[in-house]
Amino acid sequence: MDGSPILTEVPNIARSLARRTARDVIAEKLMVLIATNMLRPGDELPGERELANVLHVSRETVRGAIQALAAQGIIEVSHGSRSRVCEVDLSHITVTIASSNAIDGYDLESVHAARLHIELKVVGDAAERIDDVTLAKLQVLLEAQRLGGNDAMRFLICDREFHVAIYRACGNPLLAAFVTDLYTYMMNYRRYAMAKPGAIEASYSDHLAIFEALARHDRDAVIAAFEHHLTRIYDTTKVQLAIGNPV
């Protein structure tokens, strides 16, 4: 057993984790947004200040992440204008457990049933465990959503951070990762659905109800608010799927 390759790799793994910086984490988040079609080729990125506010990091960290992605040809940085997403395929990127392509391979009914079955358990646990730091983060994200106007892309960036923060509060990182994968389902369609008149306002209202229930640590109210929200997501995605593949 002393010669086990797994054991000999442990020091290397530890060093790798130790070298993971805030810039690396933000670069990875931006790559996930591109991989799941929340950000698409040609899209202008939100400003550094806006991204820093949503992602809870400094502007310098955001700038470093963008520069790192620019070096890989994923983002184009131009002086005097917003950075843009390059024409690049990141669908192979693992979101948490699976790639976005793997999740999109399932039908809507299966994904919705899985979300109702698992996600409601996760957010119910989060209601009991969520701390003041996470609640404060959710408040900041709600304000960013309110100020984002009718920009579906910007809303969805905040939306993902809002959902993932709640999932992680459940205390089970594997379940949180799994429901985060489910969240990414058909994100290219979700972006078009969220661009419909009234869609952002309705989702923001759902988020307010979810936050208020979380702040009270009311498990039943959180589950009810999330079930209402997931049903809205299902209905609007179903309509968008019927329209056809967005260009």
Side-chain angles (χ1 to χ4, degrees):
M1 293 297 290
D2 291 344
S4 168
I6 295 176
L7 294 178
T8 59
E9 284 298 315
V10 168
N12 294 329
I13 293 171
R15 282 194 293 271
S16 176
L17 291 174
R19 288 196 299 268
R20 186 172 166 80
T21 65
R23 186 199 71 173
D24 297 332
V25 171
I26 299 307
E28 182 179 283
K29 284 192 175 191
L30 292 174
M31 287 177 68
V32 166
L33 297 180
I34 297 168
T36 57
N37 290 305
M38 193 177 292
L39 292 173
R40 305 180 69 184
D43 279 345
E44 289 187 348
L45 292 182
E48 290 177 1
R49 185 187 299 278
E50 187 176 355
L51 282 173
N53 188 41
V54 170
L55 300 175
H56 266 63
V57 293
S58 69
R59 291 181 65 180
E60 289 73 21
T61 296
V62 169
R63 187 177 303 121
I66 290 173
Q67 289 172 347
L69 294 179
Q72 298 175 57
I74 296 170
I75 289 175
E76 178 185 359
V77 177
S78 301
H79 293 293
S81 61
R82 288 281 178 87
S83 300
R84 290 179 178 272
V85 178
C86 295
E87 188 72 42
V88 60
D89 181 11
L90 296 180
S91 59
H92 62 284
I93 295 292
T94 299
V95 177
T96 52
I97 300 173
S99 70
S100 57
N101 277 355
I103 300 302
D104 285 351
Y106 292 91
D107 64 274
L108 176 61
E109 302 299 328
S110 296
V111 172
H112 181 58
R115 293 191 75 173
L116 289 176
H117 187 69
I118 301 168
E119 192 163 335
L120 296 184
K121 157 69 174 172
V122 167
V123 299
D125 290 348
E128 298 176 355
R129 294 172 172 267
I130 198 163
D131 57 25
D132 290 342
V133 172
T134 305
L135 287 170
K137 177 178 181 179
L138 295 179
Q139 273 192 307
V140 171
L141 290 168
L142 280 172
E143 181 65 7
Q145 291 169 28
R146 188 183 69 82
L147 296 174
N150 293 318
D151 189 319
M153 178 187 74
R154 281 169 167 75
F155 182 86
L156 284 170
I157 292 173
C158 294
D159 182 81
R160 185 181 192 278
E161 290 297 302
F162 184 86
H163 277 253
V164 172
I166 296 171
Y167 301 155
R168 288 176 177 167
C170 80
N172 185 319
L174 179 56
L175 284 176
F178 182 57
V179 293
T180 298
D181 280 342
L182 294 176
Y183 168 87
T184 66
Y185 182 71
M186 293 295 178
M187 190 52 66
N188 53 335
Y189 288 91
R190 293 298 311 144
R191 181 167 159 176
Y192 278 79
M194 290 307 299
K196 301 294 183 184
I200 288 177
E201 291 84 351
S203 192
Y204 175 73
S205 179
D206 288 352
H207 286 178
L208 274 178
I210 290 166
F211 173 78
E212 290 169 357
L214 285 167
R216 299 193 306 271
H217 299 279
D218 186 335
R219 183 186 185 98
D220 291 341
V222 170
I223 289 173
F226 243 97
E227 184 170 10
H228 177 78
H229 189 49
L230 292 180
T231 300
R232 185 191 302 282
I233 292 170
Y234 166 78
D235 289 341
T236 54
T237 303
K238 187 174 184 178
V239 169
Q240 192 61 49
L241 284 168
I243 294 172
N245 187 41
V247 178

